[in-house]
Amino acid sequence: MNFNEYPIDSLMYITNRPEIVFTHGKGSWIYDNNGKRYLDFIQGWAVNSLGHCNDGMIEALNSQAKLLINPSPAFYNEQMAKLAGLLTQHSCFDKVFFANSGAEANEGAIKLARKWGRKFKDGAFEIITFDHSFHGRTLATMSASGKPGWDTIYAPQVPGFPKAELNDIASVERLINAKTVAVMLEPIQGEGGVIPATREFMQQLRELTKQHNILLIVDEVQSGCGRAGTLFAYQLSGIEPDIMTLGKGIGGGVPLAALLSKAEIAVFEAGDQGGTYNGNPLMTAVGYSVISQLTAPGFLEGVRSRGEYLRTKLLELSEERGFKGERGEGLLRALLLGKDIGNQIVEKAREMQPDGVLLNAARPNLLRFMPALNVTTEEIDQMLAMLRSVLDSL
Ligand SMILES: *Cc1c(COP(=O)(O)O)cnc(C)c1O
């Protein structure tokens, strides 16, 4: 169908979108209304961990849709229990609460920390977060985020989120007082431009928070579920946080998120937390398929080796074109361009003929790569060849 035949005007404006309509996808490829195909290195914003329309996910969706879609979160269902069991088996956490989006999981983490503070720390409620962090688009998670400008768009903010600097332990220490209940961070800042917290910083944070009896919360909505080459990014630094949130990759594209905690932190009482769709079997069945595939023997090794391959190739490209190198973990990486040409590259790459490539400039001076975790090295080579031809045309 022609772009103009779609009732696009009925959609509320939220951002500028290109004049194409996506219709279907498979693996690393997505197709638009003109039948043009694109090599997808965005994957729904690091969401489609297994690429478009993964067979295992389709099978889980189809078979669960015929069995039970939603008995209400006031009852147990088989799929929520199975997925929770899988997550506690593969992490340092004991308890799981399912949510529908990363922001909602983070809201849950904030509530859980505040509840714990009320119970055990004399009403302490402040959560130290970081400049350039991103935790979601609800009022509280926007307040927790360190995105420039977000303190004023929907002012007044939710209070209680003082900001420190990533990888600067003194900046965290300075903010700790009697009202502090937790420190919350992304082990790898995703929207901020793929900036990893160093292993040393994560260890210092764990020590500091233990020393002050405050909680350490990791927002692994983007860095978790295999993206960093380990099932969870906190595992890269050999520490155990108290609370973790998951989103994006856990559902492989469907709306699913999770809040996990150590047993002694799980202090919600009856009625404190909930939500109509939370833990519904349709989505948790898909999550079970995704996490089972990510934890199958050899899968994460494959992510690490393809991440290393992408890293090497990006460094080569950087050297060749006089860029500023690359950074990231696993298959969440950024190419540092050294100048503000990111958005121009993204546009040209998408408009290429006959095939396009979907890239993202998380910041104007870098490109972020978040392909499917089962992307092939051939597809990585294809993306790089297409990127080179875009760079040639600038
Ligand atoms: C995307 C993201 C969120 C928000 O997730 P939504 O599902 O869009 O609400 C929160 N934290 C991080 C680190 C993210 O990357």
Side-chain angles (χ1 to χ4, degrees):
M1 206 154 97
N2 206 306
F3 179 76
N4 297 318
E5 294 169 54
Y6 292 94
I8 295 294
D9 287 346
S10 296
L11 290 165
M12 190 179 290
Y13 175 82
I14 53 154
T15 188
N16 297 324
R17 293 165 165 146
E19 295 199 347
I20 48 178
V21 178
F22 284 120
T23 54
H24 59 289
K26 191 74 193 168
S28 287
W29 293 90
I30 186 167
Y31 297 76
D32 73 12
N33 57 306
N34 301 309
K36 178 179 165 181
R37 66 171 195 163
Y38 304 78
L39 185 55
D40 191 353
F41 271 62
I42 292 179
Q43 289 289 354
W45 245 250
V47 165
N48 307 319
S49 35
L50 297 166
H52 292 286
C53 297
N54 169 262
D55 290 341
M57 289 173 58
I58 294 172
E59 166 57 26
L61 257 180
N62 281 340
S63 50
Q64 190 58 40
K66 290 177 204 152
L67 283 174
L68 183 65
I69 291 178
N70 199 346
S72 152
F75 299 110
Y76 291 120
N77 69 69
E78 191 178 353
Q79 301 300 337
M80 64 159 41
K82 277 176 61 183
L83 180 55
L86 195 58
L87 291 170
T88 56
Q89 181 196 331
H90 288 283
S91 72
C92 67
F93 302 99
D94 312 298
K95 302 288 178 185
V96 185
F97 169 77
F98 291 110
N100 309 291
S101 70
E104 192 191 0
N106 284 336
E107 284 274 339
I110 293 163
K111 287 184 193 169
L112 187 60
R114 286 189 175 191
K115 174 88 191 187
W116 182 85
R118 184 153 291 270
K119 212 166 160 176
F120 296 116
K121 273 197 76 92
D122 205 23
F125 66 95
E126 281 188 2
I127 300 178
I128 298 170
T129 57
F130 292 84
D131 277 338
H132 304 294
S133 63
F134 181 84
H135 298 294
R137 292 177 172 278
T138 59
L139 281 175
T141 56
M142 280 184 83
S143 305
S145 298
K147 226 174 132 102
W150 274 25
D151 48 343
T152 51
I153 309 179
Y154 303 116
Q157 285 198 295
V158 175
F161 298 101
K163 302 287 180 300
E165 288 287 328
L166 191 71
N167 294 328
D168 178 354
I169 197 69
S171 75
V172 181
E173 204 161 4
R174 272 199 297 277
L175 294 175
I176 296 178
N177 61 53
K179 287 180 291 185
T180 310
V181 72
V183 176
M184 175 161 87
L185 83 164
E186 300 157 83
I188 305 165
Q189 287 190 343
E191 300 309 301
V194 191
I195 309 171
T198 64
R199 187 184 158 88
E200 187 194 11
F201 182 67
M202 293 296 282
Q203 292 180 350
Q204 288 170 333
L205 264 187
R206 181 66 286 187
E207 205 162 298
L208 186 67
T209 49
K210 275 225 168 95
Q211 205 182 313
H212 290 270
N213 187 32
I214 58 181
L215 304 175
L216 180 59
I217 306 173
V218 287
D219 173 351
E220 296 234 21
V221 170
Q222 188 159 153
S223 63
C225 299
R227 181 60 49 189
T230 46
L231 192 56
F232 307 112
Y234 76 80
Q235 293 166 330
L236 291 168
S237 49
I239 58 140
E240 294 195 355
D242 302 297
I243 296 176
M244 173 171 76
T245 55
L246 299 174
K248 297 200 167 93
I250 188 180
V254 304
L256 178 66
L259 159 66
L260 295 89
S261 86
K262 296 278 198 180
E264 65 273 19
I265 313 295
V267 292
F268 285 140
E269 291 169 74
D272 282 353
Q273 179 63 317
T276 303
Y277 297 112
N278 298 47
N280 72 80
L282 191 63
M283 296 303 125
T284 48
V286 177
Y288 187 84
S289 166
V290 171
I291 299 296
S292 302
Q293 293 186 61
L294 300 185
T295 53
F299 188 90
L300 289 171
E301 283 88 333
V303 175
R304 286 195 287 274
S305 74
R306 290 187 294 278
E308 185 55 30
Y309 184 78
L310 178 59
R311 188 182 83 83
T312 311
K313 295 287 168 181
L314 289 177
L315 279 177
E316 267 174 38
L317 181 64
S318 174
E319 205 128 296
E320 175 190 310
R321 305 280 164 153
F323 295 150
K324 305 283 182 218
E326 74 89 57
R327 67 181 172 224
E329 295 286 352
L331 285 171
L332 180 59
R333 316 208 70 91
L335 175 64
L336 313 178
L337 302 164
K339 43 195 164 189
D340 290 353
I341 52 172
N343 294 317
Q344 204 183 339
I345 295 173
V346 164
E347 203 152 309
K348 286 210 168 208
R350 191 183 63 241
E351 287 169 357
M352 265 175 91
Q353 295 290 349
D355 298 335
V357 55
L358 298 186
L359 299 173
N360 166 252
R363 293 259 176 126
N365 64 349
L366 59 83
L367 292 175
R368 173 173 48 169
F369 302 88
M370 35 192 171
L373 300 182
N374 53 10
V375 68
T376 63
T377 49
E378 291 74 27
E379 286 161 346
I380 292 174
D381 288 341
Q382 248 173 313
M383 181 278 291
L384 289 160
M386 290 160 93
L387 176 54
R388 276 193 171 83
S389 86
V390 169
L391 290 171
D392 289 341
S393 74
L394 287 187

